Amino acid sequence: MNKIKVIVAGPRGKMGSEALRMIKKEEEELELVACIDHKFDGYKVIDVEGLPPFDALIYNNIEECLQAVDADVLVDLTTPEVGYKHTKTALEHGVRPVVGTTGFSDQQLLELTDLAESKGIGAVIAPNFAVGAVLMMQFAKMAAKYFPDVEIIERHHDQKLDAPSGTAVKTAQLIQEVRESKQQGHPDEKETIKGARGADFDGMKIHSVRLPGLVAHQEVVFGSPGQNLTIKHDSFHRESFMSGIKLAIDHVMKLDLLVYGLENIME
Ligand SMILES: NC(=O)C1=CN([C@@H]2O[C@H](COP(=O)(O)OP(=O)(O)OC[C@H]3O[C@@H](n4cnc5c(N)ncnc54)[C@H](OP(=O)(O)O)[C@@H]3O)[C@@H](O)[C@H]2O)C=CC1
Ligand SMILES: O=C(O)C1=N[C@H](C(=O)O)C[C@H](O)C1
């Protein structure tokens, strides 16, 4: 069986380094052919402290990397701006993106969807690769049919760049599919401190907590007279995202369009 040739962008990051460890474990099926970083140009991965022993080279320039290396898949785990550029460039070069990076705008997602379709190249973008988080989102969508009053509380480590989290936005979008648009809370409520009621998504409130010690956690709280329902998911370790990334790498090889959300490829 031919191995799937993978590039990882963001190899020194919390997620990127975990992805390298996953690829090491899956070496019978996956081959790391290069990494893209904005430091350590020309180094071998093995020569960067803390990274697993791969001989693959690190490139600072994605164009140069894609020209030099024969790759099937680009796994991007960087920052919103960089991740968007990488995904677009990979599609333009016929390399299939698997993107965990969050914070893309709706417009950017649309552009990437169109680009993948016009090139006939598979891509997977998933705001959360943890199977438990995907189930939490699906359960929240089911519950919203019966409990239209809902608030989302997401909690993350304090190094996170985007707020609300990609998972919280995706949860709100899924709920929006089944919930009549409505404004929640008292119609005359006023914030005496700006932001006290959280971000507003179609009347749903999203609250973003950032604290040291956290990894990735979300509660979806539904309220109705006399009862509350809380659906909660916790990622305590970034290993929780790796089986989803592996599934996406395998699956993207069979796709010829962009899929948004792991739920669309889970069996
Ligand atoms: N979909 C999912 O399941 C998950 C998604 N995420 C998302 O993944 C992304 C990464 O998260 P996380 O690993 O925690 O973040 P980190 O900050 O730990 O990692 C990001 C890495 O990207 C590097 N980087 C910055 N600019 C570039 C560039 N131009 N080229 C290549 N690499 C670059 C950073 O380097 P430096 O530090 O030197 O700037 C850093 O090593 C975020 O968007 C996060 O929201 C996170 C967890 C799960
Ligand atoms: O930055 C993180 O850590 C995470 N980001 C993703 C998001 O924005 O939803 C997924 C997970 O919550 C961890």
PDB file of all heavy atoms in Angstrom, residues 199-219:
ATOM      1  N   ALA A 199     -21.066  37.422  23.147  1.00  0.00           N
ATOM      2  CA  ALA A 199     -21.243  37.711  21.712  1.00  0.00           C
ATOM      3  C   ALA A 199     -22.630  37.237  21.283  1.00  0.00           C
ATOM      4  O   ALA A 199     -23.181  36.308  21.875  1.00  0.00           O
ATOM      5  CB  ALA A 199     -20.174  36.971  20.923  1.00  0.00           C
ATOM      6  N   ASP A 200     -23.171  37.899  20.270  1.00  0.00           N
ATOM      7  CA  ASP A 200     -24.515  37.543  19.815  1.00  0.00           C
ATOM      8  C   ASP A 200     -24.452  36.840  18.461  1.00  0.00           C
ATOM      9  O   ASP A 200     -23.876  37.348  17.513  1.00  0.00           O
ATOM     10  CB  ASP A 200     -25.355  38.822  19.694  1.00  0.00           C
ATOM     11  CG  ASP A 200     -26.817  38.485  19.442  1.00  0.00           C
ATOM     12  OD1 ASP A 200     -27.156  38.131  18.286  1.00  0.00           O
ATOM     13  OD2 ASP A 200     -27.599  38.555  20.398  1.00  0.00           O
ATOM     14  N   PHE A 201     -25.018  35.638  18.387  1.00  0.00           N
ATOM     15  CA  PHE A 201     -25.136  34.925  17.109  1.00  0.00           C
ATOM     16  C   PHE A 201     -26.604  34.598  16.928  1.00  0.00           C
ATOM     17  O   PHE A 201     -27.129  33.698  17.601  1.00  0.00           O
ATOM     18  CB  PHE A 201     -24.285  33.640  17.123  1.00  0.00           C
ATOM     19  CG  PHE A 201     -24.250  32.909  15.812  1.00  0.00           C
ATOM     20  CD1 PHE A 201     -23.158  33.009  14.958  1.00  0.00           C
ATOM     21  CD2 PHE A 201     -25.324  32.120  15.415  1.00  0.00           C
ATOM     22  CE1 PHE A 201     -23.135  32.329  13.743  1.00  0.00           C
ATOM     23  CE2 PHE A 201     -25.311  31.449  14.199  1.00  0.00           C
ATOM     24  CZ  PHE A 201     -24.213  31.559  13.361  1.00  0.00           C
ATOM     25  N   ASP A 202     -27.285  35.358  16.108  1.00  0.00           N
ATOM     26  CA  ASP A 202     -28.705  35.126  15.840  1.00  0.00           C
ATOM     27  C   ASP A 202     -29.529  35.036  17.142  1.00  0.00           C
ATOM     28  O   ASP A 202     -30.417  34.199  17.274  1.00  0.00           O
ATOM     29  CB  ASP A 202     -28.842  33.827  15.021  1.00  0.00           C
ATOM     30  CG  ASP A 202     -30.209  33.716  14.337  1.00  0.00           C
ATOM     31  OD1 ASP A 202     -30.833  34.761  14.095  1.00  0.00           O
ATOM     32  OD2 ASP A 202     -30.644  32.578  14.074  1.00  0.00           O
ATOM     33  N   GLY A 203     -29.165  35.887  18.108  1.00  0.00           N
ATOM     34  CA  GLY A 203     -29.898  35.905  19.379  1.00  0.00           C
ATOM     35  C   GLY A 203     -29.323  34.971  20.441  1.00  0.00           C
ATOM     36  O   GLY A 203     -29.633  35.095  21.620  1.00  0.00           O
ATOM     37  N   MET A 204     -28.473  34.000  20.008  1.00  0.00           N
ATOM     38  CA  MET A 204     -27.812  33.107  20.989  1.00  0.00           C
ATOM     39  C   MET A 204     -26.589  33.827  21.528  1.00  0.00           C
ATOM     40  O   MET A 204     -25.889  34.494  20.781  1.00  0.00           O
ATOM     41  CB  MET A 204     -27.283  31.856  20.276  1.00  0.00           C
ATOM     42  CG  MET A 204     -28.259  30.806  19.982  1.00  0.00           C
ATOM     43  SD  MET A 204     -27.449  29.552  18.923  1.00  0.00           S
ATOM     44  CE  MET A 204     -28.133  29.928  17.336  1.00  0.00           C
ATOM     45  N   LYS A 205     -26.300  33.649  22.794  1.00  0.00           N
ATOM     46  CA  LYS A 205     -25.108  34.281  23.371  1.00  0.00           C
ATOM     47  C   LYS A 205     -23.955  33.275  23.436  1.00  0.00           C
ATOM     48  O   LYS A 205     -24.158  32.107  23.778  1.00  0.00           O
ATOM     49  CB  LYS A 205     -25.412  34.794  24.784  1.00  0.00           C
ATOM     50  CG  LYS A 205     -26.527  35.827  24.823  1.00  0.00           C
ATOM     51  CD  LYS A 205     -26.157  37.095  24.072  1.00  0.00           C
ATOM     52  CE  LYS A 205     -27.297  38.101  24.119  1.00  0.00           C
ATOM     53  NZ  LYS A 205     -27.045  39.257  23.250  1.00  0.00           N
ATOM     54  N   ILE A 206     -22.772  33.762  23.096  1.00  0.00           N
ATOM     55  CA  ILE A 206     -21.564  32.923  23.192  1.00  0.00           C
ATOM     56  C   ILE A 206     -20.588  33.607  24.146  1.00  0.00           C
ATOM     57  O   ILE A 206     -20.265  34.788  23.974  1.00  0.00           O
ATOM     58  CB  ILE A 206     -20.881  32.731  21.819  1.00  0.00           C
ATOM     59  CG1 ILE A 206     -21.883  32.171  20.783  1.00  0.00           C
ATOM     60  CG2 ILE A 206     -19.673  31.818  21.958  1.00  0.00           C
ATOM     61  CD1 ILE A 206     -21.295  31.978  19.390  1.00  0.00           C
ATOM     62  N   HIS A 207     -20.141  32.873  25.159  1.00  0.00           N
ATOM     63  CA  HIS A 207     -19.230  33.414  26.168  1.00  0.00           C
ATOM     64  C   HIS A 207     -17.883  32.705  26.040  1.00  0.00           C
ATOM     65  O   HIS A 207     -17.834  31.468  26.042  1.00  0.00           O
ATOM     66  CB  HIS A 207     -19.800  33.182  27.567  1.00  0.00           C
ATOM     67  CG  HIS A 207     -21.230  33.620  27.700  1.00  0.00           C
ATOM     68  ND1 HIS A 207     -21.595  34.906  28.048  1.00  0.00           N
ATOM     69  CD2 HIS A 207     -22.391  32.947  27.492  1.00  0.00           C
ATOM     70  CE1 HIS A 207     -22.929  34.996  28.068  1.00  0.00           C
ATOM     71  NE2 HIS A 207     -23.427  33.826  27.724  1.00  0.00           N
ATOM     72  N   SER A 208     -16.819  33.469  25.923  1.00  0.00           N
ATOM     73  CA  SER A 208     -15.474  32.887  25.744  1.00  0.00           C
ATOM     74  C   SER A 208     -14.628  33.136  26.983  1.00  0.00           C
ATOM     75  O   SER A 208     -14.371  34.287  27.329  1.00  0.00           O
ATOM     76  CB  SER A 208     -14.785  33.520  24.532  1.00  0.00           C
ATOM     77  OG  SER A 208     -15.500  33.220  23.346  1.00  0.00           O
ATOM     78  N   VAL A 209     -14.205  32.055  27.615  1.00  0.00           N
ATOM     79  CA  VAL A 209     -13.338  32.132  28.804  1.00  0.00           C
ATOM     80  C   VAL A 209     -11.924  31.768  28.368  1.00  0.00           C
ATOM     81  O   VAL A 209     -11.737  30.806  27.621  1.00  0.00           O
ATOM     82  CB  VAL A 209     -13.827  31.115  29.874  1.00  0.00           C
ATOM     83  CG1 VAL A 209     -12.931  31.138  31.106  1.00  0.00           C
ATOM     84  CG2 VAL A 209     -15.284  31.377  30.240  1.00  0.00           C
ATOM     85  N   ARG A 210     -10.924  32.529  28.791  1.00  0.00           N
ATOM     86  CA  ARG A 210      -9.525  32.215  28.480  1.00  0.00           C
ATOM     87  C   ARG A 210      -8.728  32.205  29.774  1.00  0.00           C
ATOM     88  O   ARG A 210      -8.570  33.245  30.408  1.00  0.00           O
ATOM     89  CB  ARG A 210      -8.930  33.292  27.534  1.00  0.00           C
ATOM     90  CG  ARG A 210      -9.609  33.371  26.170  1.00  0.00           C
ATOM     91  CD  ARG A 210      -9.306  32.153  25.314  1.00  0.00           C
ATOM     92  NE  ARG A 210     -10.007  32.185  24.038  1.00  0.00           N
ATOM     93  CZ  ARG A 210     -11.183  31.602  23.794  1.00  0.00           C
ATOM     94  NH1 ARG A 210     -11.795  30.916  24.755  1.00  0.00           N
ATOM     95  NH2 ARG A 210     -11.751  31.683  22.618  1.00  0.00           N
ATOM     96  N   LEU A 211      -8.213  31.040  30.155  1.00  0.00           N
ATOM     97  CA  LEU A 211      -7.468  30.929  31.412  1.00  0.00           C
ATOM     98  C   LEU A 211      -6.315  29.938  31.272  1.00  0.00           C
ATOM     99  O   LEU A 211      -6.459  28.926  30.569  1.00  0.00           O
ATOM    100  CB  LEU A 211      -8.392  30.409  32.523  1.00  0.00           C
ATOM    101  CG  LEU A 211      -9.422  31.379  33.112  1.00  0.00           C
ATOM    102  CD1 LEU A 211     -10.363  30.634  34.045  1.00  0.00           C
ATOM    103  CD2 LEU A 211      -8.737  32.515  33.852  1.00  0.00           C
ATOM    104  N   PRO A 212      -5.191  30.195  31.967  1.00  0.00           N
ATOM    105  CA  PRO A 212      -4.139  29.176  31.992  1.00  0.00           C
ATOM    106  C   PRO A 212      -4.680  27.904  32.639  1.00  0.00           C
ATOM    107  O   PRO A 212      -5.559  27.980  33.505  1.00  0.00           O
ATOM    108  CB  PRO A 212      -3.043  29.797  32.879  1.00  0.00           C
ATOM    109  CG  PRO A 212      -3.482  31.157  33.238  1.00  0.00           C
ATOM    110  CD  PRO A 212      -4.888  31.374  32.787  1.00  0.00           C
ATOM    111  N   GLY A 213      -4.171  26.781  32.203  1.00  0.00           N
ATOM    112  CA  GLY A 213      -4.608  25.502  32.798  1.00  0.00           C
ATOM    113  C   GLY A 213      -5.692  24.820  31.994  1.00  0.00           C
ATOM    114  O   GLY A 213      -5.861  23.606  32.100  1.00  0.00           O
ATOM    115  N   LEU A 214      -6.420  25.584  31.188  1.00  0.00           N
ATOM    116  CA  LEU A 214      -7.466  24.971  30.361  1.00  0.00           C
ATOM    117  C   LEU A 214      -6.869  24.429  29.070  1.00  0.00           C
ATOM    118  O   LEU A 214      -5.817  24.893  28.626  1.00  0.00           O
ATOM    119  CB  LEU A 214      -8.543  26.008  30.006  1.00  0.00           C
ATOM    120  CG  LEU A 214      -9.379  26.563  31.176  1.00  0.00           C
ATOM    121  CD1 LEU A 214     -10.239  27.727  30.704  1.00  0.00           C
ATOM    122  CD2 LEU A 214     -10.257  25.467  31.756  1.00  0.00           C
ATOM    123  N   VAL A 215      -7.555  23.463  28.439  1.00  0.00           N
ATOM    124  CA  VAL A 215      -7.189  23.016  27.085  1.00  0.00           C
ATOM    125  C   VAL A 215      -8.321  23.466  26.155  1.00  0.00           C
ATOM    126  O   VAL A 215      -8.253  24.555  25.588  1.00  0.00           O
ATOM    127  CB  VAL A 215      -6.928  21.493  27.032  1.00  0.00           C
ATOM    128  CG1 VAL A 215      -6.606  21.054  25.608  1.00  0.00           C
ATOM    129  CG2 VAL A 215      -5.757  21.134  27.943  1.00  0.00           C
ATOM    130  N   ALA A 216      -9.389  22.681  26.040  1.00  0.00           N
ATOM    131  CA  ALA A 216     -10.521  23.060  25.168  1.00  0.00           C
ATOM    132  C   ALA A 216     -11.798  22.447  25.739  1.00  0.00           C
ATOM    133  O   ALA A 216     -11.895  21.215  25.831  1.00  0.00           O
ATOM    134  CB  ALA A 216     -10.279  22.572  23.749  1.00  0.00           C
ATOM    135  N   HIS A 217     -12.744  23.286  26.098  1.00  0.00           N
ATOM    136  CA  HIS A 217     -13.945  22.830  26.807  1.00  0.00           C
ATOM    137  C   HIS A 217     -15.139  23.646  26.315  1.00  0.00           C
ATOM    138  O   HIS A 217     -14.998  24.829  26.012  1.00  0.00           O
ATOM    139  CB  HIS A 217     -13.775  23.047  28.313  1.00  0.00           C
ATOM    140  CG  HIS A 217     -12.406  22.680  28.807  1.00  0.00           C
ATOM    141  ND1 HIS A 217     -12.115  21.464  29.365  1.00  0.00           N
ATOM    142  CD2 HIS A 217     -11.230  23.362  28.767  1.00  0.00           C
ATOM    143  CE1 HIS A 217     -10.836  21.410  29.674  1.00  0.00           C
ATOM    144  NE2 HIS A 217     -10.264  22.555  29.316  1.00  0.00           N
ATOM    145  N   GLN A 218     -16.298  23.004  26.262  1.00  0.00           N
ATOM    146  CA  GLN A 218     -17.500  23.759  25.885  1.00  0.00           C
ATOM    147  C   GLN A 218     -18.743  23.190  26.571  1.00  0.00           C
ATOM    148  O   GLN A 218     -18.907  21.970  26.673  1.00  0.00           O
ATOM    149  CB  GLN A 218     -17.699  23.725  24.367  1.00  0.00           C
ATOM    150  CG  GLN A 218     -18.934  24.501  23.924  1.00  0.00           C
ATOM    151  CD  GLN A 218     -18.990  24.737  22.436  1.00  0.00           C
ATOM    152  OE1 GLN A 218     -18.170  25.449  21.879  1.00  0.00           O
ATOM    153  NE2 GLN A 218     -19.970  24.144  21.774  1.00  0.00           N
ATOM    154  N   GLU A 219     -19.593  24.119  27.015  1.00  0.00           N
ATOM    155  CA  GLU A 219     -20.913  23.747  27.532  1.00  0.00           C
ATOM    156  C   GLU A 219     -21.962  24.425  26.684  1.00  0.00           C
ATOM    157  O   GLU A 219     -21.839  25.619  26.387  1.00  0.00           O
ATOM    158  CB  GLU A 219     -21.093  24.270  28.959  1.00  0.00           C
ATOM    159  CG  GLU A 219     -20.479  23.399  30.020  1.00  0.00           C
ATOM    160  CD  GLU A 219     -20.554  24.065  31.378  1.00  0.00           C
ATOM    161  OE1 GLU A 219     -21.633  24.545  31.762  1.00  0.00           O
ATOM    162  OE2 GLU A 219     -19.494  24.115  32.038  1.00  0.00           O
TER     163      GLU A 219
END
